[in-house]
Amino acid sequence: MLERIYSGPKPDFSLPAGVIDTQLHLYKEGFPAQPGGIPVPVGVPGLAEYRQVMEWLGIERFVITQGNTYQFDNSCLLDCLQEAGEMARGVAVVTAETSEQELQQLHAAGVRGARIMDLPAGAAGLSYLPEVDKQAHKMDWCVAVQFDGSHLLQHLPLLESLQSRYIIDHHGKFFAGVRPDSPQIDALKRLIDKGNCWFKFAGCYESSRSGGPDYADIAAVAREMAAYAPQRIIWGTNFPHNMAQKTEDYPNDAHLLELALDWAGNAATQRRMLVDNPQELFFS
Protein backbone atom coordinates (compact mmCIF):
# COMPACT_ATOMS: atom_id res chain seq x y z
CA MET A 1 0.00 0.00 0.00
CA LEU A 2 1.31 3.46 -0.91
CA GLU A 3 0.24 6.69 0.74
CA ARG A 4 1.98 9.74 -0.69
CA ILE A 5 2.99 12.70 1.46
CA TYR A 6 1.85 16.03 0.01
CA SER A 7 2.35 18.30 3.02
CA GLY A 8 4.01 18.55 6.40
CA PRO A 9 5.49 20.97 8.89
CA LYS A 10 6.72 24.16 7.29
CA PRO A 11 10.43 23.78 6.45
CA ASP A 12 12.99 25.70 8.48
CA PHE A 13 14.69 27.04 5.36
CA SER A 14 13.56 30.12 3.47
CA LEU A 15 13.45 30.26 -0.32
CA PRO A 16 13.86 33.17 -2.72
CA ALA A 17 10.81 34.46 -4.57
CA GLY A 18 9.98 32.77 -7.85
CA VAL A 19 11.08 29.19 -7.17
CA ILE A 20 10.69 26.88 -10.20
CA ASP A 21 10.41 23.10 -9.90
CA THR A 22 11.80 21.70 -13.16
CA GLN A 23 10.98 18.00 -12.70
CA LEU A 24 7.57 16.50 -12.06
CA HIS A 25 4.98 14.29 -13.71
CA LEU A 26 1.20 14.78 -13.55
CA TYR A 27 -1.60 12.33 -14.30
CA LYS A 28 -5.32 12.66 -14.93
CA GLU A 29 -8.34 10.39 -15.05
CA GLY A 30 -9.35 9.60 -18.61
CA PHE A 31 -5.78 9.35 -19.90
CA PRO A 32 -4.83 5.65 -19.95
CA ALA A 33 -1.32 4.25 -20.03
CA GLN A 34 0.02 3.69 -23.53
CA PRO A 35 1.60 0.46 -24.82
CA GLY A 36 5.18 0.21 -23.56
CA GLY A 37 4.59 2.61 -20.68
CA ILE A 38 4.38 2.03 -16.96
CA PRO A 39 0.88 1.86 -15.41
CA VAL A 40 -0.84 5.04 -14.29
CA PRO A 41 0.44 5.57 -10.71
CA VAL A 42 -1.82 4.52 -7.87
CA GLY A 43 -4.11 7.38 -6.89
CA VAL A 44 -3.56 9.24 -10.21
CA PRO A 45 -1.55 12.08 -8.58
CA GLY A 46 -2.32 15.26 -10.47
CA LEU A 47 -2.34 19.02 -10.19
CA ALA A 48 -4.53 19.17 -7.07
CA GLU A 49 -2.08 16.99 -5.14
CA TYR A 50 0.93 18.80 -6.52
CA ARG A 51 -0.51 22.18 -5.48
CA GLN A 52 -0.30 20.95 -1.89
CA VAL A 53 3.41 20.29 -2.36
CA MET A 54 3.83 23.76 -3.86
CA GLU A 55 2.19 25.34 -0.83
CA TRP A 56 4.24 23.21 1.56
CA LEU A 57 7.63 23.97 0.00
CA GLY A 58 7.10 27.46 -1.43
CA ILE A 59 7.17 26.62 -5.15
CA GLU A 60 5.68 29.24 -7.49
CA ARG A 61 6.16 27.78 -10.98
CA PHE A 62 6.88 24.36 -12.41
CA VAL A 63 7.80 22.27 -15.45
CA ILE A 64 5.74 19.16 -16.21
CA THR A 65 7.73 16.39 -17.88
CA GLN A 66 5.90 13.86 -20.04
CA GLY A 67 5.72 10.68 -17.98
CA ASN A 68 6.74 7.26 -19.31
CA THR A 69 3.15 6.16 -18.72
CA TYR A 70 2.00 8.12 -21.77
CA GLN A 71 4.92 7.33 -24.10
CA PHE A 72 4.49 9.37 -27.33
CA ASP A 73 0.97 10.61 -26.48
CA ASN A 74 1.31 14.17 -25.15
CA SER A 75 -2.44 14.72 -24.67
CA CYS A 76 -2.38 14.48 -20.86
CA LEU A 77 0.55 16.90 -20.75
CA LEU A 78 -1.39 19.37 -22.90
CA ASP A 79 -4.46 19.03 -20.69
CA CYS A 80 -2.40 19.62 -17.52
CA LEU A 81 -0.70 22.67 -19.05
CA GLN A 82 -4.05 24.15 -19.97
CA GLU A 83 -5.33 23.60 -16.43
CA ALA A 84 -2.20 25.07 -14.82
CA GLY A 85 -1.94 28.16 -17.04
CA GLU A 86 1.01 30.53 -17.05
CA MET A 87 2.63 29.08 -13.94
CA ALA A 88 3.59 25.94 -15.88
CA ARG A 89 5.77 24.86 -18.77
CA GLY A 90 6.17 21.41 -20.32
CA VAL A 91 8.67 18.89 -21.65
CA ALA A 92 7.10 16.69 -24.33
CA VAL A 93 8.11 13.61 -26.30
CA VAL A 94 8.65 14.39 -29.97
CA THR A 95 10.34 12.65 -32.89
CA ALA A 96 11.26 13.37 -36.50
CA GLU A 97 7.68 12.34 -37.34
CA THR A 98 6.13 15.06 -35.15
CA SER A 99 4.47 17.45 -37.56
CA GLU A 100 5.07 21.19 -37.67
CA GLN A 101 1.43 21.65 -36.71
CA GLU A 102 1.84 19.54 -33.58
CA LEU A 103 5.10 21.26 -32.64
CA GLN A 104 3.38 24.63 -32.85
CA GLN A 105 0.44 23.30 -30.80
CA LEU A 106 2.83 22.07 -28.12
CA HIS A 107 4.71 25.37 -28.07
CA ALA A 108 1.50 27.40 -27.80
CA ALA A 109 0.46 25.24 -24.83
CA GLY A 110 3.72 26.00 -22.99
CA VAL A 111 6.05 23.20 -24.03
CA ARG A 112 9.66 24.37 -23.98
CA GLY A 113 11.54 21.10 -23.98
CA ALA A 114 11.75 17.59 -25.44
CA ARG A 115 12.46 14.41 -23.50
CA ILE A 116 15.00 11.66 -24.11
CA MET A 117 14.69 8.72 -21.71
CA ASP A 118 17.15 5.91 -22.42
CA LEU A 119 16.08 3.66 -19.56
CA PRO A 120 13.40 0.95 -19.24
CA ALA A 121 9.93 2.18 -20.33
CA GLY A 122 11.36 5.36 -21.84
CA ALA A 123 9.61 6.34 -25.05
CA ALA A 124 12.46 7.97 -26.99
CA GLY A 125 15.95 6.72 -26.17
CA LEU A 126 19.35 8.03 -27.18
CA SER A 127 18.92 6.73 -30.72
CA TYR A 128 16.27 9.44 -31.13
CA LEU A 129 18.51 12.22 -29.86
CA PRO A 130 19.87 13.55 -33.18
CA GLU A 131 16.39 13.98 -34.65
CA VAL A 132 14.96 15.34 -31.38
CA ASP A 133 17.84 17.82 -31.20
CA LYS A 134 16.89 19.11 -34.66
CA GLN A 135 13.26 19.55 -33.64
CA ALA A 136 14.19 21.24 -30.36
CA HIS A 137 16.71 23.55 -32.03
CA LYS A 138 14.10 24.61 -34.57
CA MET A 139 11.64 25.43 -31.77
CA ASP A 140 14.26 27.00 -29.46
CA TRP A 141 13.50 24.34 -26.85
CA CYS A 142 15.88 22.48 -24.57
CA VAL A 143 16.27 18.69 -24.39
CA ALA A 144 16.09 16.76 -21.11
CA VAL A 145 18.41 13.76 -21.51
CA GLN A 146 18.26 10.83 -19.10
CA PHE A 147 20.42 7.71 -19.36
CA ASP A 148 22.81 5.62 -17.28
CA GLY A 149 25.58 8.15 -16.75
CA SER A 150 28.04 5.35 -16.08
CA HIS A 151 28.31 5.21 -19.89
CA LEU A 152 28.75 8.96 -20.33
CA LEU A 153 32.18 8.65 -21.93
CA GLN A 154 30.89 6.52 -24.79
CA HIS A 155 28.09 9.00 -25.44
CA LEU A 156 30.36 12.06 -25.50
CA PRO A 157 30.50 12.43 -29.32
CA LEU A 158 26.70 12.43 -29.49
CA LEU A 159 26.31 14.95 -26.68
CA GLU A 160 29.04 17.19 -28.04
CA SER A 161 27.22 17.34 -31.37
CA LEU A 162 23.99 18.80 -29.94
CA GLN A 163 22.90 22.22 -31.15
CA SER A 164 20.15 22.67 -28.57
CA ARG A 165 20.46 23.57 -24.94
CA TYR A 166 20.22 20.29 -23.04
CA ILE A 167 19.97 18.98 -19.49
CA ILE A 168 21.78 16.01 -18.00
CA ASP A 169 18.91 14.73 -15.93
CA HIS A 170 18.59 13.25 -12.43
CA HIS A 171 22.12 13.88 -11.13
CA GLY A 172 23.44 12.06 -14.19
CA LYS A 173 22.16 8.69 -12.95
CA PHE A 174 25.62 7.24 -12.49
CA PHE A 175 24.33 3.81 -11.48
CA ALA A 176 27.80 2.28 -11.23
CA GLY A 177 28.89 5.10 -8.92
CA VAL A 178 31.24 8.03 -9.44
CA ARG A 179 33.34 10.39 -7.34
CA PRO A 180 34.06 14.07 -7.97
CA ASP A 181 37.40 13.09 -9.54
CA SER A 182 35.98 10.36 -11.79
CA PRO A 183 36.49 10.62 -15.58
CA GLN A 184 32.74 10.92 -16.08
CA ILE A 185 32.64 14.08 -13.97
CA ASP A 186 35.59 15.57 -15.84
CA ALA A 187 33.69 14.85 -19.07
CA LEU A 188 30.53 16.40 -17.64
CA LYS A 189 32.45 19.57 -16.84
CA ARG A 190 33.78 19.71 -20.41
CA LEU A 191 30.22 19.42 -21.73
CA ILE A 192 29.10 22.26 -19.48
CA ASP A 193 32.06 24.35 -20.66
CA LYS A 194 30.69 24.20 -24.21
CA GLY A 195 27.87 26.49 -23.05
CA ASN A 196 24.69 24.55 -23.83
CA CYS A 197 24.61 21.89 -21.09
CA TRP A 198 22.79 22.06 -17.73
CA PHE A 199 22.80 19.63 -14.77
CA LYS A 200 19.64 18.80 -12.84
CA PHE A 201 19.38 18.01 -9.14
CA ALA A 202 16.36 15.66 -8.92
CA GLY A 203 15.58 12.12 -7.84
CA CYS A 204 18.85 11.57 -5.96
CA TYR A 205 17.45 8.39 -4.41
CA GLU A 206 17.07 6.77 -7.85
CA SER A 207 20.81 6.32 -8.42
CA SER A 208 22.43 6.66 -4.99
CA ARG A 209 24.50 3.67 -3.94
CA SER A 210 25.05 4.92 -0.39
CA GLY A 211 21.35 5.69 0.23
CA GLY A 212 19.50 8.08 2.48
CA PRO A 213 19.01 10.08 4.45
CA ASP A 214 22.05 12.03 3.21
CA TYR A 215 22.86 10.30 -0.12
CA ALA A 216 26.55 10.96 0.45
CA ASP A 217 27.68 9.76 -2.97
CA ILE A 218 25.22 12.00 -4.80
CA ALA A 219 26.03 14.85 -2.42
CA ALA A 220 29.75 14.76 -3.24
CA VAL A 221 29.17 15.11 -6.97
CA ALA A 222 26.37 17.64 -6.54
CA ARG A 223 28.58 19.91 -4.44
CA GLU A 224 31.36 19.60 -7.00
CA MET A 225 29.07 20.56 -9.88
CA ALA A 226 27.40 23.43 -8.02
CA ALA A 227 30.79 24.91 -7.19
CA TYR A 228 32.06 24.39 -10.74
CA ALA A 229 29.06 25.71 -12.68
CA PRO A 230 26.46 27.48 -10.50
CA GLN A 231 25.03 29.03 -13.66
CA ARG A 232 24.14 25.56 -15.01
CA ILE A 233 22.40 23.88 -12.05
CA ILE A 234 18.61 23.42 -11.88
CA TRP A 235 16.42 21.55 -9.40
CA GLY A 236 13.23 19.49 -9.34
CA THR A 237 11.10 17.60 -6.85
CA ASN A 238 10.58 14.51 -9.05
CA PHE A 239 6.95 14.46 -7.87
CA PRO A 240 5.21 12.00 -7.45
CA HIS A 241 8.27 9.80 -6.86
CA ASN A 242 7.11 6.89 -9.00
CA MET A 243 9.87 4.54 -7.80
CA ALA A 244 8.30 4.45 -4.31
CA GLN A 245 6.01 1.43 -3.97
CA LYS A 246 5.37 1.55 -0.22
CA THR A 247 4.48 4.40 2.13
CA GLU A 248 7.66 3.92 4.16
CA ASP A 249 9.75 4.36 1.00
CA TYR A 250 8.08 7.60 -0.10
CA PRO A 251 10.59 10.50 0.09
CA ASN A 252 9.99 13.59 2.16
CA ASP A 253 10.07 16.49 -0.30
CA ALA A 254 11.08 19.05 2.32
CA HIS A 255 14.08 16.92 3.30
CA LEU A 256 15.12 16.46 -0.34
CA LEU A 257 14.90 20.19 -1.00
CA GLU A 258 16.90 20.92 2.14
CA LEU A 259 19.63 18.58 0.87
CA ALA A 260 19.68 20.32 -2.53
CA LEU A 261 20.02 23.71 -0.84
CA ASP A 262 22.93 22.41 1.19
CA TRP A 263 24.61 20.98 -1.92
CA ALA A 264 24.24 24.34 -3.69
CA GLY A 265 26.35 25.78 -0.91
CA ASN A 266 25.40 29.45 -0.67
CA ALA A 267 22.45 31.78 -1.15
CA ALA A 268 23.63 33.07 -4.53
CA THR A 269 23.91 29.57 -6.01
CA GLN A 270 20.63 28.55 -4.41
CA ARG A 271 18.87 31.42 -6.15
CA ARG A 272 20.48 30.53 -9.47
CA MET A 273 19.45 26.89 -9.07
CA LEU A 274 15.87 27.59 -7.99
CA VAL A 275 14.99 30.74 -9.95
CA ASP A 276 17.44 32.25 -12.45
CA ASN A 277 18.67 29.16 -14.31
CA PRO A 278 15.25 27.54 -14.81
CA GLN A 279 13.81 30.93 -15.75
CA GLU A 280 16.38 31.13 -18.55
CA LEU A 281 15.62 27.61 -19.81
CA PHE A 282 11.85 27.50 -19.58
CA PHE A 283 10.21 30.88 -18.94
CA SER A 284 12.23 33.45 -20.91
Side-chain angles (χ1 to χ4, degrees):
M1 183 64 181
L2 173 63
E3 182 178 347
R4 293 183 177 84
I5 303 164
Y6 301 132
S7 61
K10 280 293 183 183
D12 293 334
F13 51 77
S14 59
L15 301 180
V19 169
I20 300 170
D21 176 359
T22 68
Q23 178 68 34
L24 63 126
H25 308 296
L26 295 180
Y27 305 87
K28 297 193 80 167
E29 299 284 357
F31 294 91
Q34 297 297 301
I38 64 173
V40 175
V42 173
V44 197
L47 185 57
E49 290 77 16
Y50 178 67
R51 285 185 188 275
Q52 297 179 56
V53 177
M54 293 177 71
E55 172 64 24
W56 177 25
L57 300 183
I59 297 166
E60 297 185 24
R61 293 174 291 173
F62 53 93
V63 180
I64 309 166
T65 298
Q66 169 82 336
N68 292 334
T69 293
Y70 299 122
Q71 295 289 289
F72 296 95
D73 180 359
N74 293 300
S75 56
C76 183
L77 173 63
L78 288 171
D79 196 84
C80 290
L81 286 169
Q82 181 178 25
E83 182 180 356
E86 281 302 309
M87 70 173 62
R89 294 291 185 265
V91 173
V93 172
V94 300
T95 70
E97 305 304 314
T98 305
S99 67
E100 181 68 22
Q101 181 180 4
E102 183 177 352
L103 289 171
Q104 294 299 334
Q105 178 191 21
L106 291 166
H107 191 86
V111 169
R112 296 295 182 269
R115 188 181 200 201
I116 292 292
M117 172 65 165
D118 198 63
L119 291 168
L126 284 169
S127 64
Y128 285 80
L129 185 50
E131 64 190 66
V132 171
D133 176 48
K134 290 179 182 177
Q135 296 283 53
H137 185 66
K138 177 174 65 177
M139 299 301 296
D140 195 26
W141 294 353
C142 62
V143 183
V145 185
Q146 188 173 161
F147 59 97
D148 182 347
S150 308
H151 308 303
L152 177 64
L153 298 180
Q154 74 186 57
H155 299 311
L156 275 179
L158 175 59
L159 295 169
E160 289 171 340
S161 74
L162 297 181
Q163 296 178 287
S164 307
R165 296 165 297 164
Y166 67 99
I167 301 157
I168 300 295
D169 231 330
H170 280 59
H171 291 278
K173 282 202 167 174
F174 299 103
F175 288 124
V178 291
R179 301 181 306 275
D181 60 353
S182 294
Q184 293 90 342
I185 302 307
D186 288 339
L188 177 58
K189 290 176 178 178
R190 293 198 302 272
L191 291 174
I192 286 177
D193 288 344
K194 286 177 63 67
N196 62 332
C197 177
W198 275 253
F199 187 72
K200 185 190 291 177
F201 288 9
C204 58
Y205 50 83
E206 292 190 353
S207 58
S208 175
R209 295 166 64 87
S210 59
D214 297 328
Y215 307 100
D217 52 346
I218 301 293
V221 171
R223 289 192 178 102
E224 179 75 13
M225 296 312 301
Y228 184 79
Q231 77 282 8
R232 290 289 182 265
I233 306 300
I234 59 176
W235 162 84
T237 58
N238 206 34
F239 175 92
H241 307 291
N242 286 331
M243 278 189 61
Q245 300 299 310
K246 297 181 293 184
T247 300
E248 56 266 33
D249 296 333
Y250 195 82
N252 181 293
D253 283 293
H255 173 64
L256 293 180
L257 177 51
E258 186 173 29
L259 289 176
L261 292 170
D262 179 60
W263 300 340
N266 58 65
T269 301
Q270 290 169 5
R271 177 178 174 80
R272 282 181 160 186
M273 175 180 74
L274 298 175
V275 183
D276 299 337
N277 298 341
Q279 169 76 33
E280 178 183 351
L281 275 176
F282 294 104
F283 285 88
S284 295

